[in-house]
Amino acid sequence: MAILTEAQVLDALRGVTDPDQGKDIVALGMISGLVVKGGNVGFSIEVDPKRGPALEPLRQAAERAVDALAGVTSVTAVLTAHRPAPTLSGNRPQGQGHSHDHGGHGHSHGAPAAKPAPAGKAGVPGVGAIIAVASGKGGVGKSTTSVNLALALAANGQRVGLLDADIYGPSMPRMMGIAGKPESPDGKVLKPMEKYGIKVMSMGFLVAEDTPMIWRGPMVMSAIQQMLRDVAWGELDVLVVDMPPGTGDAQLTMAQNVPLAGAVIVSTPQDIALLDARKGLNMFRRVDVPVLGIIENMSYFCCPNCGHRSDIFSHGGARAEADKLGVDFLGEMPLDIIIRETSDGGTPIVVEKPDSEHAKVYRGIAATVWQKISSGGSRRTAPSITID
Ligand code: ADP
C-alpha cells in the first residue's frame, strides 16, 4: 500500500476554500500542526476567534477532503483560535489571561522569538523547579537520560517528580517498570504514580501503549498542562520533564508555556554534528529558558565482552561543540548494553547498579544540574547563534 504523505494531504486541502476569503485554506496559511502517522491524519485550521463557530462546516469539509484520500483511516481537524504575535510594546493580545486554560490556548505558530507568555507560566504550587530534558530528534536517549537524571537527583537527596511529556511515545511506564493507572480520589486531581522514591506521571498510564494517538500542537500543550497542574505532585524540589523529541511547534509552545528553570540537551556525537542539538539549544534561547548544558549520550562504545572502549561516533564532539556554543558540557554516557537493558527492563541503572561507573556519572550530572538550578547560576551570556 502506498504511504500517505503530508504533501498529498495538503494537496487535498487545497481543494477546500474559505468562503469569506475566497481562497483555499492552504494558500491562506490556515493549516498548521499537520501530522501524518500511518493512515491517521491530524491538523489544525487556524481561524480568527470571532469566526470560530461559523467555521464548523469548513472544518468538516477539510476532514472530508482528506478522508477521501486512499490510505486514510482517520482524520482529526480542529479549529484553533489564531493569536496575533505579541507586539513589542508589550501589549498582550486577548485571550492570554487565563491561568488555567486547558483548551483555549492560542496557537503560537508564527510568533517570532516570542517571550514566554505569562498565561501558562504560573508555577506549579509546591514544585521548586521544573527542568526540561530535550533533544533535537528522537532516539538519542532522551528518555533514558531523563529517567536516570531524575533518579540520580533523588539519590542525591532531592524530592523528585518525573513528567513524561513525550506524549507521542510515552516510555516512562516501561522504563520505570510501572503498571496500572493513577487514582483520583476526589475526581479532580490525579495522584502521580510512585516508584524508586520518585513521583511519575505519563500519558502512557492513561492510554494503552498501542493506541495510536494524533496530537496537534495545542492538544499537546493542554495535555501537558493537565499533567503539570491537575496532578497532586505535592512538595517537590525538582520536576524533570521528558520533552517530546524535536524542535517543532509543539516543543516551542511547551518551552514557552511551562515555567522552566532550565533545559538539558541530550545529544549523540553525530547529532550535534548534524545541528539537531543546536536547534534544540536555540529553541530554548529564543524563549529565554536557560540551557543548563549538554549531555553526550552514546558517546563511545563499551564492549560487553572485553570492556574495550571504541569511539565509534567520533566521541568528544559534544564537549567541543558545547564550548563553541557557550553552554556547559555536563557529561558523557557510553553506548553500553547495560544501559539499554536496565532502562528498557524497568530498572534504570541508577537504581539497579547504584555503585556502577554509569550511575556515578548520572549522579555527578544531577549534582551539577541541581547546583545550577538552586543557585540560578546557569550561563546565559552565551553568544547568539542562528540556525535555520
Ligand atoms: P529517546 O527518548 O531519545 O527517543 P530513548 O531513551 O527511548 O530515546 O532510547 C532509545 C533506545 O536506546 C532505548 O532502547 C534505550 O534503552 C537505548 N539507549 C539509550 N541510551 C543508551 C546508552 N547510553 N547505551 C545503550 N543504549 C541506550
Side-chain angles (χ1 to χ4, degrees), residues 51-224:
R51 299 173 65 208
L55 288 177
E56 177 56 20
L58 181 74
R59 189 193 69 76
Q60 289 179 10
E63 278 194 352
R64 275 198 306 275
V66 176
D67 205 29
L69 288 172
V72 171
T73 47
S74 79
V75 188
T76 313
V78 230
L79 296 174
T80 312
H82 173 73
R83 186 175 72 194
T87 57
L88 286 176
S89 63
N91 292 336
R92 294 277 166 192
Q94 287 179 346
Q96 291 195 33
H98 313 285
S99 61
H100 210 85
D101 178 359
H102 293 326
H105 279 286
H107 193 31
S108 64
H109 193 73
K115 284 265 184 211
K121 274 285 200 180
V124 179
V127 176
I130 304 177
I131 57 168
V133 178
S135 63
K137 62 171 191 197
V140 302
K142 173 182 54 57
S143 299
T144 304
T145 306
S146 303
V147 75
N148 279 299
L149 178 62
L151 291 166
L153 283 157
N156 289 351
Q158 273 81 54
R159 296 166 300 174
V160 180
L162 176 60
L163 194 168
D164 184 1
D166 188 350
I167 60 178
Y168 301 101
S171 40
M172 287 316 153
R174 175 172 46 91
M175 289 193 175
M176 288 290 287
I178 300 176
K181 287 196 185 309
E183 291 171 6
S184 178
D186 65 356
K188 288 190 197 123
V189 289
L190 285 176
K191 272 172 63 181
M193 307 299 272
E194 284 196 56
K195 194 147 181 196
Y196 307 131
I198 68 173
K199 294 179 176 166
V200 190
M201 189 61 205
S202 166
M203 197 51 78
F205 298 139
L206 307 172
V207 186
E209 205 173 336
D210 53 2
T211 307
M213 280 189 287
I214 301 177
W215 298 95
R216 59 192 173 83
M219 262 167 71
V220 171
M221 198 52 230
S222 83
I224 291 166

Side-chain angles (χ1 to χ4, degrees), residues 294-309:
I294 294 180
I295 299 175
E296 186 172 270
N297 191 38
M298 309 188 188
S299 179
Y300 53 91
F301 176 67
C302 278
C303 173
N305 300 318
C306 63
H308 173 73
R309 162 182 173 152

